[in-house]
Amino acid sequence: MALTGTESGGHGARRGRSTLPFVPLVVDLAAPVPVLAAGGIADGRGVAAALALGAVGALIGTRFQVTTEALVDPSVSKAVIEGRGQDTERNSVLDIARGASRPTEKYTARTLGHPCLDRWRGREDESARDSQARQDCRDDVARGAIPPMPVWAGEAVDLITDRPSAADLVTALAAQAEDALARAGRRHPDDRPRAQG
Ligand SMILES: Cc1cc2nc3c(=O)[nH]c(=O)nc-3n(C[C@H](O)[C@H](O)[C@H](O)COP(=O)(O)O)c2cc1C
């Protein structure tokens, strides 16, 4: 099973939990069912952390939006590369404006910030009842102030700085994870140099 923390890009439960404390909890509850950790993982150190928490691997979303094979508009890749974790926010504003079918009272999505979100942050119920509000957001899309679809992006966007192929990315993730685990292993007390004499 895959477990998604609230750091993740895209949709998740409105009342979600953070990846770090939630993965080991679910690993214990679900045993012997293998668990994949998701949410906020964008490099091999994150993969190593997922393994250290007891997951059998990581499910990665946001990072793969910036690969050469990703079927996203170049403006999305650019926004993800330029985005910062603090610019991402869980919300339903664009789902409401788009009339998305997903129940917004149960699910929010982490997106990059945008003008429509700035206008309706914290007043999403109100925007759902206000047809002009929804139209204003669609007008923002029409004049290019925000992309047609929300830029779904997680808190790990800070770690995304290049646009490799998916194959190169997977190779790099594995190498970085091995390095991170080896480094952590060397910090085991038994591996410290012994005092001489
Ligand atoms: C562009 C994008 C689209 C996504 N679409 C869905 C979706 O349709 N359904 C879903 O359950 N999760 C969706 N997700 C969430 C991912 O499946 C995954 O749980 C999440 O991206 C992991 O966190 P990360 O983005 O920090 O790597 C989406 C994520 C992104 C970035």
Side-chain angles (χ1 to χ4, degrees):
M1 77 166 63
L3 174 163
T4 310
T6 54
E7 301 93 321
S8 62
H11 288 90
R14 184 175 281 276
R15 294 165 62 85
R17 302 276 304 273
S18 300
T19 306
L20 187 65
F22 202 30
V23 170
L25 178 69
V26 174
V27 163
D28 288 348
L29 287 172
V33 175
V35 170
L36 290 172
I41 299 171
D43 68 13
R45 292 170 298 182
V47 176
L51 297 174
L53 293 173
V56 294
L59 187 153
I60 300 175
T62 303
R63 182 63 184 91
F64 279 93
Q65 283 193 102
V66 195
T67 53
T68 50
E69 294 90 343
L71 301 176
V72 296
D73 190 88
S75 65
V76 170
S77 303
K78 184 169 180 290
V80 171
I81 286 179
E82 290 174 357
R84 295 166 304 171
Q86 69 216 56
D87 303 329
T88 71
E89 202 172 323
R90 291 190 78 96
N91 68 96
S92 304
V93 170
L94 277 185
D95 280 347
I96 290 169
R98 297 189 298 138
S101 56
R102 211 180 292 254
T104 54
E105 68 282 357
K106 279 178 81 176
Y107 302 103
T108 54
R110 185 174 290 280
T111 70
L112 288 176
H114 51 77
C116 180
L117 174 54
D118 289 340
R119 282 202 298 281
W120 291 101
R121 179 178 291 106
R123 298 190 295 135
E124 296 174 357
D125 290 350
E126 199 183 324
S127 80
R129 293 190 298 271
D130 184 337
S131 60
Q132 186 59 49
R134 296 197 301 278
Q135 185 57 48
D136 288 348
C137 290
R138 290 196 291 271
D139 290 346
D140 281 344
V141 171
R143 65 185 173 82
I146 50 179
M149 297 292 276
V151 178
W152 289 300
E155 287 188 34
V157 283
D158 306 89
L159 303 173
I160 303 172
T161 55
D162 60 353
R163 189 167 165 269
S165 71
D168 285 348
L169 175 58
V170 170
T171 303
L173 288 168
Q176 291 162 1
E178 276 183 19
D179 277 357
L181 290 169
R183 252 197 332 273
R186 282 198 297 275
R187 288 191 188 133
H188 190 280
D190 292 346
D191 296 337
R192 282 194 201 125
R194 306 271 189 278
Q196 299 294 312

